Amino acid sequence: DGMHYFHIREGVPNDARGYEWSDPTHLRLLVDTTAPRAYEPMRIDSRTVLVPARDESAGIEAVTYRWHAAWFPPGGTWHTIGVAEPVRVPALLRWFGGTLTMRAMDGAGNAREQTLMIPGNSVAKVVGAFILIIAIIAIMRSIMRAFRVRAMRS
């Protein structure tokens, strides 16, 4: 790892002296095989998270994030933000909980992922479960009514 320099000159054949050399060209090469430093996403308040990612050698080039709520399958779309830009926590995640996965990538393409658990509001979880149960009961009733109507017609 570190900064390396190449100094290159071009030699052109010359009848009188053998070769005529150009002025040197200097090329700088940064070798960085280390991922950005470990960081912990910080909660600024209940609605905002900040990602303090740093990389001393190549610098942070991009920060991406995605949400994963407990009721959705893993995965989701990665969103790109600025290096010091805060991330807004969606209301459903604040209420029911989930995870925020952040990925910091340095200029050399090395990445580090960190995950922050977002605890849900326990009252919201109870209310959400209650609404889910009511929805399931309503669906079951409509299915039962449909079967009764078919049975009566037969």
Side-chain angles (χ1 to χ4, degrees):
D1 283 9
M3 192 73 63
H4 302 279
Y5 293 91
F6 289 96
H7 309 286
I8 301 171
R9 294 180 4 171
E10 179 182 18
V12 178
N14 183 337
D15 289 338
R17 293 185 286 171
Y19 284 96
E20 194 168 306
W21 295 96
S22 68
D23 291 334
T25 299
H26 308 286
L27 302 172
R28 185 180 76 165
L29 176 66
L30 174 63
V31 176
D32 179 11
T33 59
T34 307
R37 294 174 82 193
Y39 59 91
E40 186 66 36
M42 299 184 311
R43 302 252 344 225
I44 295 174
D45 56 34
S46 66
R47 298 178 180 186
T48 313
V49 175
L50 187 63
V51 184
R54 291 189 319 215
D55 186 84
E56 283 75 23
S57 51
I60 299 297
E61 186 171 296
V63 175
T64 56
Y65 72 93
R66 69 179 173 188
W67 298 107
H68 174 245
W71 60 90
F72 287 122
T77 305
W78 287 98
H79 305 279
T80 303
I81 58 170
V83 173
E85 187 178 338
V87 178
R88 305 286 280 159
V89 179
L92 284 175
L93 217 60
R94 288 195 313 265
W95 295 335
F96 298 108
T99 58
L100 165 64
T101 302
M102 311 292 290
R103 181 187 301 155
M105 186 171 296
D106 67 14
N110 304 309
R112 180 176 305 273
E113 280 188 15
Q114 301 288 118
T115 300
L116 176 66
M117 296 295 296
I118 307 290
N121 181 332
S122 58
V123 172
K125 287 180 183 178
V126 170
V127 170
F130 181 71
I131 291 171
L132 181 62
I133 290 169
I134 290 175
I136 290 171
I137 291 171
I139 291 169
M140 295 298 288
R141 280 187 164 176
S142 65
I143 290 171
M144 290 172 64
R145 281 188 199 134
F147 280 122
R148 272 193 230 140
V149 168
R150 283 186 188 164
M152 294 174 97
R153 289 183 185 167
S154 305

